[in-house]
Amino acid sequence: MAQITSGIRSILSHPIAYDGLQGALGVTNARRTVCEEYIKASEGQVVVDVGCGTAEILKFLPGSIQYFGFDLSQSYIDSAQRRFGDRGTFRCADVTALSANEIPPCQVAVSFGVLHHLDDDGARHLIEGLYDRLAPGGRLITVDPAFVPGQARIARELIKRDRGQNVRNCEGYLDLVSPRFQQRGIEPRHDLLRVPYTYAVMTCVR
Ligand SMILES: C[S@@+](CC[C@H](N)C(=O)[O-])C[C@H]1O[C@@H](n2cnc3c(N)ncnc32)[C@H](O)[C@@H]1O
């Protein structure tokens, strides 16, 4: 995993510190917007969330979906299980090492803030597995910080300091999915956090 977890950033390994920082920055609002404008999960759909963290996204998804969350961090998974145990199934796993048949067949796959932690080989392996398990017409939605020409200087500086070591530009994220997904699009969003920041929201349809 290409993620910095040493020094001051080690505090973020604690679920309460992690959720607190995300709340202060406005990530909660970003999740709400992404759920409403991009994920748009319907009642009864199966949603797979790779790199689910503490599964905060469940606050903005319909109660009737079948949710499966995977994350590398056992403490994040434990936190998700404690708070949302009745809303989904949670598993500690390295998503770059999952075989396709370990991923539940689904209509929606979500990767919020994860691809920029993964190198190209790991990300492509994950995307292939998700593609195989998505139903025809099913969608993969990814959200990651991105370097975009003309973005605010503060946004660029903040993104450079991210724990993830594989932040890409929009073309870089599209390159990861292009071997599998013919139907794909990406939108840079500069308005999702309380601070200047750029997220690239990618939508791929099987
Ligand atoms: C920026 S956080 C986003 C978490 C969550 N999606 C959210 O929106 O709060 C990135 C997450 O990816 C997880 N992660 C990073 N590399 C991973 C890997 N190889 N396998 C599984 N999870 C991974 C981290 O543990 C962390 O929870």
Side-chain angles (χ1 to χ4, degrees):
M1 177 192 45
Q3 173 172 290
I4 302 173
T5 53
S6 56
I8 186 100
R9 292 171 172 103
S10 65
I11 298 166
L12 297 177
S13 300
H14 194 286
I16 293 176
Y18 174 77
D19 285 340
L21 177 70
Q22 295 226 318
L25 292 173
V27 181
T28 305
N29 188 49
R31 283 193 201 100
R32 179 188 291 112
T33 304
V34 168
C35 285
E36 289 174 1
E37 296 184 17
Y38 300 91
I39 296 178
K40 297 186 269 192
S42 313
E43 306 280 328
Q45 284 189 323
V46 178
V47 177
V48 170
D49 187 2
V50 289
C52 64
T54 54
E56 282 282 299
I57 201 166
L58 272 170
K59 291 180 178 166
F60 307 110
L61 292 173
S64 66
I65 62 163
Q66 281 187 63
Y67 175 92
F68 294 86
F70 294 87
D71 201 278
L72 195 57
S73 160
Q74 185 66 57
S75 57
Y76 290 175
I77 288 293
D78 290 344
S79 167
Q81 184 67 45
R82 270 195 306 277
R83 288 186 302 161
F84 302 112
D86 56 341
R87 298 270 323 266
T89 304
F90 307 96
R91 182 178 152 199
C92 184
D94 179 350
V95 295
T96 65
L98 287 177
S99 57
N101 61 16
E102 292 178 276
I103 301 170
C106 53
Q107 285 83 38
V108 181
V110 177
S111 161
F112 194 121
V114 182
L115 292 182
H116 72 286
H117 291 286
L118 309 182
D119 64 22
D120 285 2
D121 287 347
R124 288 208 169 100
H125 175 83
L126 170 63
I127 287 160
E128 278 176 23
L130 293 173
Y131 179 88
D132 285 352
R133 302 301 271 174
L134 274 170
R139 292 170 301 119
L140 165 65
I141 314 295
T142 74
V143 183
D144 284 279
F147 295 119
V148 171
Q151 75 194 135
R153 197 164 154 190
I154 302 176
R156 206 172 179 82
E157 292 303 319
L158 283 174
I159 290 169
K160 275 192 207 162
R161 287 163 179 74
D162 194 279
R163 288 192 295 170
Q165 293 297 287
N166 292 286
V167 176
R168 300 167 174 92
N169 57 23
C170 289
E171 292 68 33
Y173 289 118
L174 285 168
D175 280 350
L176 295 175
V177 299
S178 58
R180 285 299 174 127
F181 289 92
Q182 303 305 306
Q183 217 180 318
R184 56 187 183 267
I186 196 160
E187 183 176 16
R189 295 283 302 245
H190 306 283
D191 59 342
L192 294 182
L193 292 192
R194 289 203 184 100
V195 293
Y197 203 78
T198 310
Y199 277 118
V201 185
M202 185 160 63
T203 302
C204 312
V205 183
R206 179 174 173 165

